[in-house]
Structures are given as C-alpha cells and as structure tokens.
Amino acid sequence: SINMDYSYSTNTRKELDYMRQLPKYDKGGLAGYYPFSNPSAVLRTNTDDKNIVFNAYADYENNFASKHYFKAMAGVNHEQSVTNIANASRKNLIIGSIPYMSLATGDMEVRDGISEASILGVFGRINYSYDDRYLLEINGRYDGTSRFPKNRRFAIFPSFSLGWRIDRERFFGGLSNVVDMLKIRGSYGSLGNQNVQGDYPYIA
C-alpha cells in the first residue's frame, strides 16, 4: 500500500494596538499622565504565515510458511513554514481615541522581516516475528532541519526493540486461563531535537 498526503495552509493577521494617554489626578486636579501611557502611540502589524506539509510512505507485509511474519515501511516527510511580518508605529496621537498614524505627530518607524524554516526526513521500519513469539522491530530515520548549519544539518537516528511472547510458549499453557497475554519487551533508540531558539540560531 502507498499513502500520500499534501497540505497547504495560509493565515493572514492584521493587528492594531494603540495606547492613549491616561490622566493622573491629585488633590489639585490634573497632575500629568501615567508614565506607561505617555506618549500615546499606535502600532499596526501585518503577518502572513504559510505552511506546507508533505508525507509519503509505503507498506508491505506478508506471512511466510505460516510462522514467519514480515512487514516493512519506508517513507519521506517534508515540512516548510514561511512567515512575513511588517509593522509600523507612530507616537503622539493628536486625538487619543482615533488611532491613525496620519493623525499623529511623532516620527514614524517601519520594520519588516521574513523567517523560514523547513525539515526533511526519510524513515523506515522493519517488523519480524516468528510464530508470534519472538518479535523484532528495527527503525531508522535520516532527518535534517534548516535550524542548524549546513555541515551539521542531517543525522541518522536508529532504534530497535526485541520482544518475547511468553504466553505463546508451551510451558505457559497451564496459566493461559489466568493470564491472557504476557510479553517482555526491551527497546533502545534516539531521536533528533530541533527545539532551539529562533530559526537561525547559528548566525551571529
């Protein structure tokens, strides 16, 4: 069997933030404005997010001579995200309740930026069991992320497990009415981790 899926999503956000001057009074009347509200300001931010996810994998399984079970799976995973952000701000609103930059007297500040991140991985798995008693599973991943420098971007992550269905052994027959299934399993493996701060932490 072959399975594939592709998804594309986009999200656009428009935000308006503004701070009007909050007057502060004492016994003599107006005593200025609270520092955190002075000067008044307006900030507009536009953000565009795009995300792409592609997955494809194939499965194969078969029983050989009734006691040998074999299953294999291989696939690829790719994810990409792009964020564009632009914002502009201006201080000193002429009328505090009308937050428009054209109705402010301070210097206008404009900023923009783009951030992109992607991952690419190839993975596979092999399962084998003999008489549904002795179980073996081998996994492998070759993953890469754009959050690391090119010479350290990809790595191999293997794992495996061994299992023994004790309840399938002949000596266990007298306990089958008490215990439905008894299996011992041990596994070892490693996986990558790209949870670092920012999309380009390796760039000074």
Side-chain angles (χ1 to χ4, degrees):
S1 64
I2 299 176
N3 306 271
M4 298 178 62
D5 66 78
Y6 174 87
S7 64
Y8 174 86
S9 62
T10 180
N11 181 31
T12 299
R13 301 189 305 275
K14 295 183 178 181
E15 302 175 24
L16 169 65
D17 299 301
Y18 72 97
M19 174 63 70
R20 60 190 299 177
Q21 289 178 313
L22 297 179
K24 181 170 59 175
Y25 298 92
D26 58 16
K27 294 180 180 180
L30 180 63
Y33 300 92
Y34 286 98
F36 66 85
S37 70
N38 191 29
S40 57
V42 58
L43 169 66
R44 290 185 178 270
T45 303
N46 292 340
T47 305
D48 291 316
D49 291 318
K50 296 179 181 180
N51 294 281
I52 298 173
V53 178
F54 173 74
N55 294 294
Y57 66 94
D59 281 316
Y60 171 82
E61 63 178 327
N62 206 341
N63 285 291
F64 301 94
S66 71
K67 290 188 176 182
H68 299 275
Y69 170 78
F70 176 82
K71 183 177 182 180
M73 182 269 292
V76 61
N77 163 247
H78 173 63
E79 298 179 21
Q80 184 179 24
S81 63
V82 180
T83 298
N84 284 278
I85 185 169
N87 58 42
S89 63
R90 198 174 188 184
K91 297 179 179 179
N92 298 323
L93 294 170
I94 297 174
I95 303 175
S97 59
I98 305 180
Y100 288 94
M101 279 176 280
S102 58
L103 295 178
T105 60
D107 292 334
M108 185 178 297
E109 297 182 7
V110 180
R111 295 166 293 275
D112 68 344
I114 183 171
S115 182
E116 182 176 3
S118 62
I119 60 174
L120 176 64
V122 179
F123 53 88
R125 175 187 298 141
I126 294 176
N127 295 93
Y128 171 78
S129 69
Y130 174 74
D131 197 23
D132 200 24
R133 286 187 292 170
Y134 310 114
L135 314 173
L136 169 66
E137 181 177 298
I138 301 174
N139 292 276
R141 294 190 62 95
Y142 183 65
D143 288 327
T145 172
S146 63
R147 289 189 170 97
F148 299 145
K150 290 184 178 181
N151 60 339
R152 300 184 62 185
R153 188 159 289 176
F154 285 88
I156 298 175
F157 304 99
S159 63
F160 68 91
S161 69
L162 296 172
W164 179 26
R165 284 281 303 272
I166 302 176
D167 61 296
R168 300 281 295 181
E169 300 291 347
R170 291 181 180 178
F171 63 79
F172 197 81
L175 297 174
S176 59
N177 294 329
V178 180
V179 180
D180 293 333
M181 187 181 74
L182 179 61
K183 177 171 69 173
I184 297 176
R185 183 183 179 189
S187 62
Y188 172 82
S190 64
L191 288 175
N193 183 358
Q194 64 157 354
N195 293 329
V196 293
Q197 186 175 3
D199 290 332
Y200 313 99
Y202 59 92
I203 299 178

